[in-house]
Amino acid sequence: MSPGAGDDEGDLTRKQRREQARGERKALEQAEAARAKRRARLTQLGIVVAIVVVVIVGIAIASGGGGGKKTVSVGSHESNATVAEVKTLIDGIPQSGNTLGDPNAPVTLRYFGDLECPICKEFTLEVLPTLIPKYVRTGKLKIEYHSLETATREPEIFKTQQVAAYAAGKQNLGWYFIETFYHEQGEEDSGYVNEKYLQGIASQVPGLNLADWTDARSEPTYSNEVAADAQAANQAGFTGTPSFELGKTGGTLEKFEPGTFTEAGPYEAAIEKQLKS
Amino acid sequence: MSSSALRKTMIVLTAVGLCLAAYLTYVHYSGVTPPCSIKGNPCSEVQKSQYSLLIGIPVALIGLLGYIAILGSLLLAPDGERARLATMALILGGFGFSLYLTYRELFTLHKICEWCVSSAVIMTVLACLSVWRFLRGGDLLPVDAATGAATPGADEAPEPAAPLGAARS
């Protein structure tokens, strides 16, 4: 081995070492840069998550806990307005049990509802004020109210509230109770329906004898009626409220799906069709 | 999964979520009853509950706008750190909102809407994908034209682009 060759080998080794060291340094720098980038990303993720949590908690607090029991303050401005509105709508229209309208009206609309159902409230407050003066008051249509449990969580509470309405029907004031209940319906699932609430509704029904109403509530006739309604709804294939059947009085009523619970148009069209047939 | 495939998956999921939110917005404004396989049609009741509005704005509309923003960030912004951060922030916002709405359904209304759950599931998957996409980086520089593969580590320590012919010197 010549000394020159040994120098070359030594130079190469030094060069290789230098390159190796440079490579390692570069790798370390890259690894450090990658770690710094990961840290930065994690920090950004943490900031985003923190902002989202703060905003969502804010929304949850602002929108309330979902409680808020509602009780009727008889004699309050709200109560007086409801009584006046209901009276204007149905006063003077014949009532029998859970039926509103002339018993001999040519067309019957069967309305399956749950007194706690907010969509039933919409239908009652937005569609019925058109249908009742136009068809019920004029003797062309009668509306039967039937019970189907949907929005009410507790079956016992459902039975109690529906029976309370039917018991008012014993004095031919059931629709006053139903209308008043929907007008003053509380926040869904807040557990607002209790004895005080039902008494409050009943006390706003003009002319209702509260003692007779209380006695009637314990009659099995009405709880049986609620059970029969559930069976009828099941047979008709109804799963939601409000649900309807429509047809000629005394004939077979057909399932009626209006497609809307806020517009009276489809109801009017269907009733007109029945009246003309 | 390549970044491109991940982005495409997220676009498809966002498009599905957008359709759901659009339908629920239509349901809200038209008043029609949404089809629901659960007895008692809880979908309809959830849609009509007080929690279907936030400061007077339908939550379905908020969801629709959110999905449009997410889709915009995925389709319009060039793929980069900032775009991924923006997409992830939007999706995590939507995910948080979905969590809140699901909480309201389960613990306040005690009713479940299949349509809302579908959207929440999509938002959850999108949240996982967007966080993964943001944290892992990758494929931020152009894909190698010859091999079709992404430059390894390109996202970790991106080098300035070498001038043409530099590789031969």
Side-chain angles (χ1 to χ4, degrees), chain B residues 27-69:
Chain B
V27 165
H28 181 91
Y29 284 110
S30 67
V32 300
T33 308
C36 189
S37 66
I38 305 171
K39 193 185 172 196
N41 202 337
C43 297
S44 191
E45 291 178 36
V46 169
Q47 297 303 321
K48 299 277 182 182
S49 77
Q50 68 170 113
Y51 299 106
S52 67
L53 295 172
L54 185 69
I55 51 166
I57 305 165
V59 293
L61 180 62
I62 295 172
L64 177 62
L65 296 175
Y67 277 118
I68 289 170

mmCIF file of all heavy atoms in Angstrom, chain B residues 27-69:
data_model
loop_
_atom_site.group_PDB
_atom_site.id
_atom_site.type_symbol
_atom_site.label_atom_id
_atom_site.label_comp_id
_atom_site.label_asym_id
_atom_site.label_seq_id
_atom_site.Cartn_x
_atom_site.Cartn_y
_atom_site.Cartn_z
ATOM 1 N N VAL B 27 -88.199 20.640 5.094
ATOM 2 C CA VAL B 27 -89.242 20.169 6.026
ATOM 3 C C VAL B 27 -89.642 21.301 6.964
ATOM 4 O O VAL B 27 -90.831 21.534 7.206
ATOM 5 C CB VAL B 27 -88.728 18.954 6.838
ATOM 6 C CG1 VAL B 27 -89.612 18.682 8.056
ATOM 7 C CG2 VAL B 27 -88.688 17.710 5.958
ATOM 8 N N HIS B 28 -88.649 22.028 7.449
ATOM 9 C CA HIS B 28 -88.940 23.102 8.407
ATOM 10 C C HIS B 28 -89.811 24.179 7.773
ATOM 11 O O HIS B 28 -90.803 24.606 8.360
ATOM 12 C CB HIS B 28 -87.638 23.718 8.924
ATOM 13 C CG HIS B 28 -87.878 24.806 9.927
ATOM 14 N ND1 HIS B 28 -87.951 24.552 11.279
ATOM 15 C CD2 HIS B 28 -88.107 26.131 9.768
ATOM 16 C CE1 HIS B 28 -88.218 25.685 11.902
ATOM 17 N NE2 HIS B 28 -88.308 26.664 11.009
ATOM 18 N N TYR B 29 -89.440 24.620 6.584
ATOM 19 C CA TYR B 29 -90.162 25.738 5.982
ATOM 20 C C TYR B 29 -91.481 25.335 5.327
ATOM 21 O O TYR B 29 -92.400 26.137 5.254
ATOM 22 C CB TYR B 29 -89.262 26.461 4.967
ATOM 23 C CG TYR B 29 -88.233 27.326 5.652
ATOM 24 C CD1 TYR B 29 -86.886 27.003 5.638
ATOM 25 C CD2 TYR B 29 -88.617 28.471 6.357
ATOM 26 C CE1 TYR B 29 -85.939 27.789 6.283
ATOM 27 C CE2 TYR B 29 -87.681 29.269 7.008
ATOM 28 C CZ TYR B 29 -86.348 28.922 6.967
ATOM 29 O OH TYR B 29 -85.427 29.698 7.617
ATOM 30 N N SER B 30 -91.559 24.072 4.844
ATOM 31 C CA SER B 30 -92.788 23.661 4.156
ATOM 32 C C SER B 30 -93.838 23.148 5.129
ATOM 33 O O SER B 30 -95.019 23.125 4.813
ATOM 34 C CB SER B 30 -92.475 22.575 3.133
ATOM 35 O OG SER B 30 -92.061 21.401 3.814
ATOM 36 N N GLY B 31 -93.388 22.693 6.303
ATOM 37 C CA GLY B 31 -94.332 22.151 7.284
ATOM 38 C C GLY B 31 -94.732 20.715 6.990
ATOM 39 O O GLY B 31 -95.616 20.175 7.648
ATOM 40 N N VAL B 32 -94.102 20.067 5.992
ATOM 41 C CA VAL B 32 -94.454 18.675 5.695
ATOM 42 C C VAL B 32 -93.925 17.766 6.799
ATOM 43 O O VAL B 32 -93.012 18.132 7.556
ATOM 44 C CB VAL B 32 -93.900 18.194 4.327
ATOM 45 C CG1 VAL B 32 -94.441 19.022 3.196
ATOM 46 C CG2 VAL B 32 -92.390 18.194 4.320
ATOM 47 N N THR B 33 -94.495 16.577 6.885
ATOM 48 C CA THR B 33 -94.062 15.621 7.904
ATOM 49 C C THR B 33 -92.972 14.735 7.313
ATOM 50 O O THR B 33 -93.204 14.078 6.301
ATOM 51 C CB THR B 33 -95.248 14.752 8.341
ATOM 52 O OG1 THR B 33 -96.319 15.618 8.698
ATOM 53 C CG2 THR B 33 -94.881 13.866 9.516
ATOM 54 N N PRO B 34 -91.785 14.717 7.934
ATOM 55 C CA PRO B 34 -90.734 13.862 7.377
ATOM 56 C C PRO B 34 -91.037 12.384 7.638
ATOM 57 O O PRO B 34 -91.562 12.049 8.698
ATOM 58 C CB PRO B 34 -89.477 14.295 8.161
ATOM 59 C CG PRO B 34 -89.987 14.852 9.423
ATOM 60 C CD PRO B 34 -91.346 15.418 9.137
ATOM 61 N N PRO B 35 -90.757 11.518 6.658
ATOM 62 C CA PRO B 35 -90.979 10.095 6.919
ATOM 63 C C PRO B 35 -90.070 9.608 8.041
ATOM 64 O O PRO B 35 -88.929 10.062 8.162
ATOM 65 C CB PRO B 35 -90.615 9.422 5.590
ATOM 66 C CG PRO B 35 -89.820 10.414 4.835
ATOM 67 C CD PRO B 35 -90.192 11.763 5.329
ATOM 68 N N CYS B 36 -90.589 8.743 8.879
ATOM 69 C CA CYS B 36 -89.828 8.288 10.049
ATOM 70 C C CYS B 36 -90.278 6.867 10.363
ATOM 71 O O CYS B 36 -91.490 6.607 10.398
ATOM 72 C CB CYS B 36 -90.127 9.221 11.220
ATOM 73 S SG CYS B 36 -89.105 8.962 12.654
ATOM 74 N N SER B 37 -89.331 5.967 10.558
ATOM 75 C CA SER B 37 -89.719 4.571 10.776
ATOM 76 C C SER B 37 -90.045 4.287 12.238
ATOM 77 O O SER B 37 -90.555 3.229 12.566
ATOM 78 C CB SER B 37 -88.592 3.645 10.315
ATOM 79 O OG SER B 37 -87.462 3.829 11.134
ATOM 80 N N ILE B 38 -89.757 5.254 13.121
ATOM 81 C CA ILE B 38 -89.998 5.023 14.552
ATOM 82 C C ILE B 38 -91.445 5.374 14.890
ATOM 83 O O ILE B 38 -91.967 6.379 14.401
ATOM 84 C CB ILE B 38 -89.031 5.869 15.410
ATOM 85 C CG1 ILE B 38 -87.582 5.578 15.015
ATOM 86 C CG2 ILE B 38 -89.232 5.562 16.893
ATOM 87 C CD1 ILE B 38 -86.569 6.493 15.631
ATOM 88 N N LYS B 39 -92.064 4.541 15.729
ATOM 89 C CA LYS B 39 -93.460 4.739 16.106
ATOM 90 C C LYS B 39 -93.666 6.128 16.749
ATOM 91 O O LYS B 39 -92.877 6.544 17.590
ATOM 92 C CB LYS B 39 -93.883 3.645 17.099
ATOM 93 C CG LYS B 39 -95.375 3.577 17.302
ATOM 94 C CD LYS B 39 -95.732 2.572 18.366
ATOM 95 C CE LYS B 39 -97.221 2.697 18.669
ATOM 96 N NZ LYS B 39 -97.602 2.056 19.894
ATOM 97 N N GLY B 40 -94.715 6.789 16.323
ATOM 98 C CA GLY B 40 -95.029 8.099 16.893
ATOM 99 C C GLY B 40 -94.384 9.245 16.152
ATOM 100 O O GLY B 40 -94.563 10.399 16.516
ATOM 101 N N ASN B 41 -93.654 8.926 15.090
ATOM 102 C CA ASN B 41 -92.955 9.937 14.284
ATOM 103 C C ASN B 41 -92.213 10.965 15.135
ATOM 104 O O ASN B 41 -92.507 12.164 15.084
ATOM 105 C CB ASN B 41 -93.934 10.651 13.345
ATOM 106 C CG ASN B 41 -93.211 11.278 12.162
ATOM 107 O OD1 ASN B 41 -92.013 11.537 12.260
ATOM 108 N ND2 ASN B 41 -93.905 11.512 11.080
ATOM 109 N N PRO B 42 -91.223 10.505 15.914
ATOM 110 C CA PRO B 42 -90.472 11.474 16.721
ATOM 111 C C PRO B 42 -89.700 12.472 15.873
ATOM 112 O O PRO B 42 -89.404 13.573 16.343
ATOM 113 C CB PRO B 42 -89.520 10.591 17.541
ATOM 114 C CG PRO B 42 -89.423 9.311 16.795
ATOM 115 C CD PRO B 42 -90.728 9.129 16.104
ATOM 116 N N CYS B 43 -89.400 12.111 14.610
ATOM 117 C CA CYS B 43 -88.666 13.036 13.733
ATOM 118 C C CYS B 43 -89.448 14.344 13.621
ATOM 119 O O CYS B 43 -88.899 15.429 13.762
ATOM 120 C CB CYS B 43 -88.509 12.449 12.330
ATOM 121 S SG CYS B 43 -87.542 10.951 12.309
ATOM 122 N N SER B 44 -90.742 14.181 13.366
ATOM 123 C CA SER B 44 -91.593 15.343 13.193
ATOM 124 C C SER B 44 -91.626 16.181 14.470
ATOM 125 O O SER B 44 -91.568 17.411 14.426
ATOM 126 C CB SER B 44 -92.995 14.873 12.825
ATOM 127 O OG SER B 44 -93.767 15.934 12.425
ATOM 128 N N GLU B 45 -91.696 15.486 15.598
ATOM 129 C CA GLU B 45 -91.771 16.215 16.871
ATOM 130 C C GLU B 45 -90.455 16.924 17.187
ATOM 131 O O GLU B 45 -90.455 18.035 17.710
ATOM 132 C CB GLU B 45 -92.180 15.261 17.984
ATOM 133 C CG GLU B 45 -93.625 14.815 17.803
ATOM 134 C CD GLU B 45 -94.074 13.835 18.861
ATOM 135 O OE1 GLU B 45 -93.636 13.993 20.010
ATOM 136 O OE2 GLU B 45 -94.828 12.924 18.533
ATOM 137 N N VAL B 46 -89.344 16.264 16.860
ATOM 138 C CA VAL B 46 -88.035 16.910 17.075
ATOM 139 C C VAL B 46 -87.925 18.140 16.175
ATOM 140 O O VAL B 46 -87.483 19.205 16.605
ATOM 141 C CB VAL B 46 -86.882 15.905 16.800
ATOM 142 C CG1 VAL B 46 -85.535 16.617 16.764
ATOM 143 C CG2 VAL B 46 -86.867 14.806 17.851
ATOM 144 N N GLN B 47 -88.382 17.985 14.930
ATOM 145 C CA GLN B 47 -88.307 19.104 13.975
ATOM 146 C C GLN B 47 -89.164 20.290 14.416
ATOM 147 O O GLN B 47 -88.904 21.421 14.026
ATOM 148 C CB GLN B 47 -88.764 18.664 12.580
ATOM 149 C CG GLN B 47 -87.897 17.599 11.942
ATOM 150 C CD GLN B 47 -86.456 18.005 11.817
ATOM 151 O OE1 GLN B 47 -86.142 19.144 11.514
ATOM 152 N NE2 GLN B 47 -85.561 17.075 12.093
ATOM 153 N N LYS B 48 -90.219 19.990 15.173
ATOM 154 C CA LYS B 48 -91.133 21.057 15.586
ATOM 155 C C LYS B 48 -90.845 21.549 17.000
ATOM 156 O O LYS B 48 -91.518 22.457 17.487
ATOM 157 C CB LYS B 48 -92.581 20.557 15.540
ATOM 158 C CG LYS B 48 -93.045 20.135 14.168
ATOM 159 C CD LYS B 48 -93.504 21.311 13.354
ATOM 160 C CE LYS B 48 -94.013 20.868 11.993
ATOM 161 N NZ LYS B 48 -94.416 21.988 11.162
ATOM 162 N N SER B 49 -89.890 20.933 17.662
ATOM 163 C CA SER B 49 -89.638 21.309 19.057
ATOM 164 C C SER B 49 -88.955 22.677 19.124
ATOM 165 O O SER B 49 -88.471 23.189 18.114
ATOM 166 C CB SER B 49 -88.766 20.258 19.740
ATOM 167 O OG SER B 49 -87.436 20.422 19.335
ATOM 168 N N GLN B 50 -88.900 23.215 20.325
ATOM 169 C CA GLN B 50 -88.286 24.532 20.485
ATOM 170 C C GLN B 50 -86.791 24.500 20.148
ATOM 171 O O GLN B 50 -86.199 25.532 19.830
ATOM 172 C CB GLN B 50 -88.472 25.029 21.915
ATOM 173 C CG GLN B 50 -87.681 24.232 22.950
ATOM 174 C CD GLN B 50 -87.683 24.882 24.301
ATOM 175 O OE1 GLN B 50 -88.243 24.365 25.245
ATOM 176 N NE2 GLN B 50 -87.044 26.035 24.394
ATOM 177 N N TYR B 51 -86.194 23.301 20.209
ATOM 178 C CA TYR B 51 -84.761 23.198 19.928
ATOM 179 C C TYR B 51 -84.474 23.103 18.432
ATOM 180 O O TYR B 51 -83.326 22.936 18.034
ATOM 181 C CB TYR B 51 -84.170 21.998 20.681
ATOM 182 C CG TYR B 51 -84.349 22.166 22.165
ATOM 183 C CD1 TYR B 51 -85.292 21.414 22.861
ATOM 184 C CD2 TYR B 51 -83.620 23.107 22.862
ATOM 185 C CE1 TYR B 51 -85.498 21.604 24.215
ATOM 186 C CE2 TYR B 51 -83.808 23.303 24.214
ATOM 187 C CZ TYR B 51 -84.749 22.552 24.879
ATOM 188 O OH TYR B 51 -84.948 22.749 26.213
ATOM 189 N N SER B 52 -85.524 23.185 17.610
ATOM 190 C CA SER B 52 -85.295 23.192 16.166
ATOM 191 C C SER B 52 -84.926 24.606 15.703
ATOM 192 O O SER B 52 -84.634 24.820 14.539
ATOM 193 C CB SER B 52 -86.536 22.706 15.418
ATOM 194 O OG SER B 52 -87.582 23.643 15.584
ATOM 195 N N LEU B 53 -84.953 25.544 16.638
ATOM 196 C CA LEU B 53 -84.564 26.918 16.328
ATOM 197 C C LEU B 53 -83.469 27.372 17.274
ATOM 198 O O LEU B 53 -83.487 27.035 18.453
ATOM 199 C CB LEU B 53 -85.759 27.867 16.475
ATOM 200 C CG LEU B 53 -86.952 27.706 15.527
ATOM 201 C CD1 LEU B 53 -88.092 28.612 15.969
ATOM 202 C CD2 LEU B 53 -86.569 28.040 14.099
ATOM 203 N N LEU B 54 -82.532 28.140 16.742
ATOM 204 C CA LEU B 54 -81.505 28.757 17.578
ATOM 205 C C LEU B 54 -81.522 30.244 17.249
ATOM 206 O O LEU B 54 -81.299 30.617 16.093
ATOM 207 C CB LEU B 54 -80.127 28.145 17.283
ATOM 208 C CG LEU B 54 -79.001 28.616 18.176
ATOM 209 C CD1 LEU B 54 -79.172 28.113 19.598
ATOM 210 C CD2 LEU B 54 -77.657 28.149 17.637
ATOM 211 N N ILE B 55 -81.798 31.037 18.252
ATOM 212 C CA ILE B 55 -82.052 32.486 18.099
ATOM 213 C C ILE B 55 -82.912 32.765 16.859
ATOM 214 O O ILE B 55 -82.608 33.651 16.049
ATOM 215 C CB ILE B 55 -80.755 33.343 18.122
ATOM 216 C CG1 ILE B 55 -79.711 32.802 17.134
ATOM 217 C CG2 ILE B 55 -80.194 33.448 19.504
ATOM 218 C CD1 ILE B 55 -78.562 33.772 16.847
ATOM 219 N N GLY B 56 -83.944 31.963 16.727
ATOM 220 C CA GLY B 56 -84.910 32.171 15.651
ATOM 221 C C GLY B 56 -84.514 31.591 14.304
ATOM 222 O O GLY B 56 -85.282 31.637 13.354
ATOM 223 N N ILE B 57 -83.309 31.028 14.243
ATOM 224 C CA ILE B 57 -82.857 30.447 12.966
ATOM 225 C C ILE B 57 -83.018 28.928 13.042
ATOM 226 O O ILE B 57 -82.568 28.305 14.007
ATOM 227 C CB ILE B 57 -81.373 30.794 12.691
ATOM 228 C CG1 ILE B 57 -81.174 32.308 12.752
ATOM 229 C CG2 ILE B 57 -80.916 30.238 11.347
ATOM 230 C CD1 ILE B 57 -79.720 32.711 12.851
ATOM 231 N N PRO B 58 -83.648 28.308 12.036
ATOM 232 C CA PRO B 58 -83.793 26.844 12.073
ATOM 233 C C PRO B 58 -82.420 26.165 12.121
ATOM 234 O O PRO B 58 -81.529 26.541 11.343
ATOM 235 C CB PRO B 58 -84.516 26.512 10.766
ATOM 236 C CG PRO B 58 -85.111 27.786 10.295
ATOM 237 C CD PRO B 58 -84.269 28.892 10.832
ATOM 238 N N VAL B 59 -82.259 25.197 13.025
ATOM 239 C CA VAL B 59 -80.950 24.525 13.134
ATOM 240 C C VAL B 59 -80.637 23.765 11.842
ATOM 241 O O VAL B 59 -79.476 23.571 11.490
ATOM 242 C CB VAL B 59 -80.862 23.593 14.362
ATOM 243 C CG1 VAL B 59 -80.895 24.376 15.647
ATOM 244 C CG2 VAL B 59 -81.944 22.526 14.341
ATOM 245 N N ALA B 60 -81.696 23.348 11.133
ATOM 246 C CA ALA B 60 -81.466 22.654 9.852
ATOM 247 C C ALA B 60 -80.786 23.601 8.869
ATOM 248 O O ALA B 60 -79.886 23.197 8.121
ATOM 249 C CB ALA B 60 -82.801 22.169 9.281
ATOM 250 N N LEU B 61 -81.199 24.865 8.882
ATOM 251 C CA LEU B 61 -80.591 25.860 7.985
ATOM 252 C C LEU B 61 -79.139 26.129 8.409
ATOM 253 O O LEU B 61 -78.246 26.253 7.564
ATOM 254 C CB LEU B 61 -81.408 27.161 8.015
ATOM 255 C CG LEU B 61 -80.900 28.296 7.125
ATOM 256 C CD1 LEU B 61 -80.908 27.896 5.656
ATOM 257 C CD2 LEU B 61 -81.738 29.555 7.318
ATOM 258 N N ILE B 62 -78.910 26.181 9.730
ATOM 259 C CA ILE B 62 -77.533 26.369 10.223
ATOM 260 C C ILE B 62 -76.664 25.202 9.744
ATOM 261 O O ILE B 62 -75.541 25.381 9.285
ATOM 262 C CB ILE B 62 -77.520 26.466 11.770
ATOM 263 C CG1 ILE B 62 -78.269 27.737 12.210
ATOM 264 C CG2 ILE B 62 -76.089 26.476 12.305
ATOM 265 C CD1 ILE B 62 -78.487 27.847 13.711
ATOM 266 N N GLY B 63 -77.233 23.985 9.830
ATOM 267 C CA GLY B 63 -76.513 22.791 9.369
ATOM 268 C C GLY B 63 -76.223 22.868 7.882
ATOM 269 O O GLY B 63 -75.104 22.570 7.433
ATOM 270 N N LEU B 64 -77.214 23.314 7.118
ATOM 271 C CA LEU B 64 -77.043 23.420 5.660
ATOM 272 C C LEU B 64 -75.910 24.400 5.330
ATOM 273 O O LEU B 64 -75.028 24.090 4.523
ATOM 274 C CB LEU B 64 -78.360 23.888 5.023
ATOM 275 C CG LEU B 64 -78.349 24.114 3.516
ATOM 276 C CD1 LEU B 64 -78.045 22.830 2.770
ATOM 277 C CD2 LEU B 64 -79.685 24.679 3.038
ATOM 278 N N LEU B 65 -75.919 25.545 6.001
ATOM 279 C CA LEU B 65 -74.865 26.538 5.755
ATOM 280 C C LEU B 65 -73.497 25.989 6.169
ATOM 281 O O LEU B 65 -72.492 26.228 5.501
ATOM 282 C CB LEU B 65 -75.176 27.838 6.510
ATOM 283 C CG LEU B 65 -76.447 28.578 6.051
ATOM 284 C CD1 LEU B 65 -76.721 29.781 6.951
ATOM 285 C CD2 LEU B 65 -76.334 29.018 4.601
ATOM 286 N N GLY B 66 -73.488 25.238 7.268
ATOM 287 C CA GLY B 66 -72.240 24.625 7.736
ATOM 288 C C GLY B 66 -71.682 23.647 6.716
ATOM 289 O O GLY B 66 -70.488 23.676 6.387
ATOM 290 N N TYR B 67 -72.563 22.789 6.201
ATOM 291 C CA TYR B 67 -72.105 21.809 5.199
ATOM 292 C C TYR B 67 -71.613 22.517 3.928
ATOM 293 O O TYR B 67 -70.635 22.097 3.314
ATOM 294 C CB TYR B 67 -73.238 20.844 4.847
ATOM 295 C CG TYR B 67 -73.382 19.688 5.825
ATOM 296 C CD1 TYR B 67 -74.543 19.511 6.555
ATOM 297 C CD2 TYR B 67 -72.353 18.761 6.002
ATOM 298 C CE1 TYR B 67 -74.692 18.451 7.450
ATOM 299 C CE2 TYR B 67 -72.485 17.703 6.884
ATOM 300 C CZ TYR B 67 -73.654 17.546 7.603
ATOM 301 O OH TYR B 67 -73.781 16.492 8.481
ATOM 302 N N ILE B 68 -72.305 23.606 3.545
ATOM 303 C CA ILE B 68 -71.865 24.353 2.351
ATOM 304 C C ILE B 68 -70.459 24.927 2.589
ATOM 305 O O ILE B 68 -69.582 24.848 1.730
ATOM 306 C CB ILE B 68 -72.878 25.479 2.010
ATOM 307 C CG1 ILE B 68 -74.169 24.870 1.474
ATOM 308 C CG2 ILE B 68 -72.290 26.450 0.980
ATOM 309 C CD1 ILE B 68 -75.329 25.854 1.317
ATOM 310 N N ALA B 69 -70.245 25.464 3.791
ATOM 311 C CA ALA B 69 -68.926 26.032 4.118
ATOM 312 C C ALA B 69 -67.851 24.944 4.100
ATOM 313 O O ALA B 69 -66.744 25.147 3.577
ATOM 314 C CB ALA B 69 -68.987 26.710 5.490
#
